[in-house]
Amino acid sequence: MDNNSSPEAGENGEDFLSRNILFLREFGAEQHTMMYKEIKALCGLPATSKKPSECWSLTRALMKRENGMTGFRTGSFTDNQQRRIANLFIPNKKIDRLMSLESKIFVCKFNSDGSKLITASQDDIIRIFDASKGTYYRIKRSEMRNVNSSILDIDFSPCSRYYAYSTCLNYFFVVPTDSASNHIQLYDVNIGRNRTAMFSIRFSPSDGGRTLVGGCDNSTIFICDRETSSVRALRTQHFSSVDINAISYVSDQDSNLVVSGCSNGFIKLWDLRCNYRADKSASVFVGHLDGITYIDPRNDGHYLLSNARDQSIKIWDIRQPTPNSQVQKNPTSPLIEWDYRWGQPPREYYNPKVVLDGDVSIMTYRGHRVSKALLRAKFSPRLQTGQRYIYTGCSTGRIIVYDVLTGNIKEAIESHRNVVSDLDWHPHRSEIVSASWDGHVKLNGYRNKPNLKRHNPEKISRPLRRSRRIADRQRQSYEESDEGDELNNW
């Protein structure tokens, strides 16, 4: 396999997977983390199994349930067992087109309970869809004025009564979700005549949406108190040449800790109760060779993932930051200077031979392409999948789904013809809605693959090759080990 070449839009799925294999860093160490063990438990996998196996029979599990052999008085599957079944049917194919426009679409996002879907496009129109029953019919259309280029990011309030969006103007914009009127609440960031672009915006998860935070292109994080209409600035650098491309709260239970992703590849942890001087944060996480494009927390207060322009996704434990002595040794600029909006990703990023001093990331994933836009990458829903997967958009128009436990690319969905700028997995259904620069919003779900060749033993006229016999022997051993584990866990 050649992993040094970048994926082109014209490649088929098999070439893409073969040319972009997953790069693992210290995978054995990742298996000993609490995150790895918790995901296995949430997915109904035995704790004693060394490697999650797909050789598991749904039919046998249903038979045991019908015969009262699940080990529970109710005779039904537990939540963990239900997730194990659901993980057999994750999205793998484009199944419907929800919307088509003549402009680029930058944002698509569900609210917390999955009842609404919001989209934003370059035509300055925000559309809200009813997603409660899977029909996705539009319930609101709002044309925004003075957007200045495009809407860059959107976030729902915790109660879903409001949504906030950010643009290239010096304001926080807050709009009612259900109201027929489009009355916009404006909160000025008070930086004078200088224009700023707010790349990322988030509602505080635990104070009823009173606080808003935004990351901007002038090395500044703005914190807005909607109750007092006051905005304060948190400087992250001495100079304004570093952009804050991504910002997020660490968990839904804490409205004080936020993390920011910078265009120089650094991730920084901030406590909003403290007054920091420029270039001084609570913790710093070094490992990416280029700018951060998105940050998604696991929502447990400990782990988060980051997507970056060095063509990689990394998982971090915020309890293990990079020591200050090693932070100072690393450069404050990307390893290779290139413009991600128009240029091709450097070939050195696809198979890097450089590991930064102080790289404390737990896991590194490679196989997708990051260019043209600040692409998102996220954990799959906890209630449905146990967060076993990481899914991300790709500049080739694909949706890439990684398996956190095995480190493999689980699915590569051929969904769009241009960069997938944003995507979101429904909290309760096996559906991924994706938005692309090709002007389409598409629904991706599970479909059987009828083109797979079925094995017919009657047509075999010669002995199997040695490699096939070895594979069959290993599969049989996995089945026997899983059957023994199921007797104890089902």
Side-chain angles (χ1 to χ4, degrees):
M1 298 183 192
D2 180 11
N3 196 38
N4 294 326
S5 300
S6 62
E8 299 297 334
E11 293 179 348
N12 57 41
E14 294 180 357
D15 291 340
F16 177 75
L17 293 178
S18 63
R19 293 166 65 89
N20 296 276
I21 61 175
L22 186 65
F23 172 77
L24 304 179
R25 178 182 179 271
E26 297 181 356
F27 181 67
E30 188 266 353
Q31 292 181 344
H32 297 287
T33 63
M34 289 301 301
M35 181 190 71
Y36 184 88
K37 299 175 182 178
E38 183 178 355
I39 290 177
K40 288 183 63 177
L42 288 173
C43 296
L45 298 172
T48 55
S49 60
K50 296 181 181 180
K51 180 180 179 181
S53 174
E54 299 296 337
C55 300
W56 175 75
S57 174
L58 176 59
T59 305
R60 184 165 60 241
L62 293 172
M63 181 190 67
K64 290 182 178 180
R65 185 192 67 173
E66 295 303 318
N67 293 332
M69 300 171 60
T70 59
F72 299 93
R73 295 181 179 178
T74 59
S76 61
F77 292 138
T78 65
D79 292 341
N80 295 348
Q81 293 167 350
Q82 293 176 20
R83 294 188 190 99
R84 185 172 187 180
I85 296 173
N87 285 337
L88 300 176
F89 307 98
I90 67 169
N92 62 354
K93 188 176 180 61
K94 175 194 69 178
I95 60 175
D96 197 6
R97 182 185 299 176
L98 303 182
M99 184 175 64
S100 296
L101 301 174
E102 294 182 356
S103 59
K104 298 177 180 178
I105 304 175
F106 282 85
V107 182
C108 68
K109 190 172 188 178
F110 289 107
N111 62 345
S112 58
D113 61 1
S115 61
K116 293 180 177 63
L117 172 71
I118 193 168
T119 66
S121 55
Q122 209 168 22
D123 58 5
D124 302 343
I125 297 177
I126 293 178
R127 298 169 175 86
I128 301 179
F129 298 83
D130 185 349
S132 58
K133 298 180 181 179
T135 53
Y136 295 98
Y137 63 90
R138 195 181 68 198
I139 59 178
K140 188 173 182 180
R141 179 183 184 274
S142 305
E143 184 173 357
M144 303 303 170
R145 299 180 179 179
N146 302 321
V147 170
N148 195 356
S149 180
S150 180
I151 296 171
L152 302 178
D153 197 13
I154 292 180
D155 192 36
F156 278 106
S157 64
C159 61
S160 298
R161 294 175 55 193
Y162 300 91
Y163 66 87
Y165 68 91
S166 60
T167 67
C168 293
L169 297 176
N170 306 335
Y171 296 94
F172 288 94
F173 300 89
V174 180
V175 185
T177 302
D178 299 322
S179 174
S181 65
N182 292 326
H183 175 68
I184 301 177
Q185 305 172 18
L186 300 178
Y187 302 95
D188 194 347
V189 300
N190 300 317
I191 61 173
R193 296 182 178 179
N194 296 327
R195 192 184 72 176
T196 183
M198 192 175 296
F199 293 120
S200 184
I201 187 172
R202 290 292 179 271
F203 270 104
S204 173
S206 59
D207 63 1
R210 171 179 174 176
T211 307
L212 279 167
V213 295
C216 301
D217 62 349
N218 57 1
S219 304
T220 306
I221 298 174
F222 290 103
I223 303 100
C224 172
D225 189 329
R226 296 177 57 210
E227 186 171 309
T228 61
S229 298
S230 61
V231 179
R232 65 185 179 96
L234 177 62
R235 296 287 299 175
T236 64
Q237 301 284 340
H238 289 293
F239 305 101
S240 59
S241 59
V242 177
D243 299 341
I244 306 298
N245 295 334
I247 194 166
S248 176
Y249 285 89
V250 171
S251 71
D252 290 349
Q253 290 74 40
D254 195 334
S255 60
N256 298 311
L257 297 180
V258 298
V259 285
S260 62
C262 308
S263 60
N264 59 5
F266 285 10
I267 298 175
K268 296 186 177 183
L269 176 68
W270 309 88
D271 191 333
L272 300 184
R273 295 167 295 187
C274 302
N275 293 321
Y276 295 99
R277 62 179 178 86
D279 202 26
K280 181 64 177 179
S281 60
S283 302
V284 179
F285 302 87
V286 174
H288 281 296
L289 307 175
D290 211 318
I292 310 298
T293 64
Y294 196 78
I295 293 176
D296 188 52
R298 191 169 174 265
N299 200 24
D300 58 359
H302 302 313
Y303 299 97
L304 55 89
L305 69 80
S306 59
N307 198 16
R309 295 197 298 257
D310 64 358
Q311 316 302 304
S312 72
I313 296 173
K314 287 180 178 289
I315 296 181
W316 310 83
D317 187 342
I318 65 172
R319 298 166 295 182
Q320 301 176 5
T322 301
N324 292 331
S325 59
Q326 293 178 324
V327 172
Q328 298 174 359
K329 295 180 181 179
N330 285 282
T332 57
S333 59
L335 179 66
I336 301 173
E337 293 293 338
W338 68 291
D339 196 324
Y340 76 97
R341 295 170 294 180
W342 298 286
Q344 298 292 330
R347 296 175 63 89
E348 293 83 356
Y349 283 161
Y350 288 101
N351 191 16
K353 300 179 181 179
V354 177
V355 178
L356 296 180
D357 292 336
D359 185 356
V360 292
S361 60
I362 298 174
M363 189 77 170
T364 301
Y365 303 85
R366 298 186 186 275
H368 63 292
R369 180 173 176 176
V370 183
S371 63
K372 300 182 182 180
L374 300 176
L375 302 188
R376 273 83 166 178
K378 305 173 183 178
F379 284 106
S380 61
R382 181 183 181 92
L383 293 178
Q384 183 192 357
T385 67
Q387 296 179 315
R388 178 171 176 175
Y389 303 102
I390 293 174
Y391 62 105
T392 179
C394 181
S395 296
T396 62
R398 296 179 175 91
I399 298 172
I400 308 300
V401 181
Y402 296 101
D403 191 331
V404 175
L405 297 182
T406 63
N408 297 324
I409 294 179
K410 179 68 174 180
E411 297 292 344
I413 307 174
E414 302 278 350
S415 188
H416 295 273
R417 296 183 178 181
N418 206 332
V419 54
V420 180
S421 53
D422 198 5
L423 71 174
D424 210 11
W425 196 317
H426 194 276
H428 310 298
R429 299 195 297 266
S430 183
E431 299 175 353
I432 297 178
V433 175
S434 56
S436 172
W437 283 14
D438 62 7
H440 301 312
V441 175
K442 295 186 178 181
L443 180 66
N444 306 272
Y446 176 80
R447 288 290 185 271
N448 276 330
K449 299 180 179 180
N451 294 330
L452 292 179
K453 295 182 179 180
R454 296 185 178 274
H455 175 64
N456 189 356
E458 296 180 357
K459 294 184 179 181
I460 298 179
S461 59
R462 58 181 179 177
L464 293 176
R465 297 182 59 180
R466 181 174 181 272
S467 58
R468 177 64 61 84
R469 295 199 304 271
I470 294 175
D472 290 342
R473 192 179 304 123
Q474 292 176 348
R475 177 173 56 82
Q476 183 179 0
S477 64
Y478 278 133
E479 290 177 348
E480 293 174 354
S481 62
D482 282 353
E483 184 175 1
D485 290 330
E486 288 170 4
L487 293 175
N488 298 325
N489 290 276
W490 288 79

